[in-house]
Amino acid sequence: SRSFEIYSFNILENLTIGKFAGLHNVSFYDAAYHLLAKFTDSIFVTADKIYFQKFKKDKNLALLGNFYC
């Protein structure tokens, strides 16, 4: 059975997410997942093409449509 790791943002991380969301005019929700990928050196996969275009140079971001099955 597979399990998922639980990650709890600390106060500084929450403030950073809020600032990032406001600065880039994105939702806290999207910012949280994006910065979680940065904090954990992983990849945030999004299907949102507009969001992806804003940050396409970020190594921690991938567009779902770019994956082929």
Side-chain angles (χ1 to χ4, degrees), residues 26-50:
V26 298
S27 71
F28 188 90
Y29 180 87
D30 283 335
Y33 279 105
H34 190 167
L35 292 186
L36 175 63
K38 288 186 160 306
F39 299 155
T40 60
D41 195 29
S42 57
I43 305 292
F44 169 39
V45 179
T46 182
D48 186 335
K49 291 178 183 178
I50 295 170

Side-chain angles (χ1 to χ4, degrees), residues 5-67:
E5 184 178 336
I6 296 173
Y7 188 93
S8 297
F9 295 111
N10 64 39
I11 293 170
L12 181 58
E13 289 169 333
N14 275 310
L15 291 171
T16 302
I17 292 165
K19 288 179 184 178
F20 181 92
L23 179 65
H24 297 289
N25 196 29
V26 298
S27 71
F28 188 90
Y29 180 87
D30 283 335
Y33 279 105
H34 190 167
L35 292 186
L36 175 63
K38 288 186 160 306
F39 299 155
T40 60
D41 195 29
S42 57
I43 305 292
F44 169 39
V45 179
T46 182
D48 186 335
K49 291 178 183 178
I50 295 170
Y51 187 91
F52 179 77
Q53 285 302 314
K54 281 187 172 188
F55 306 103
K56 63 184 175 186
K57 293 183 180 182
D58 188 328
K59 72 177 184 100
N60 298 102
L61 182 66
L63 183 63
L64 181 62
N66 290 343
F67 291 95

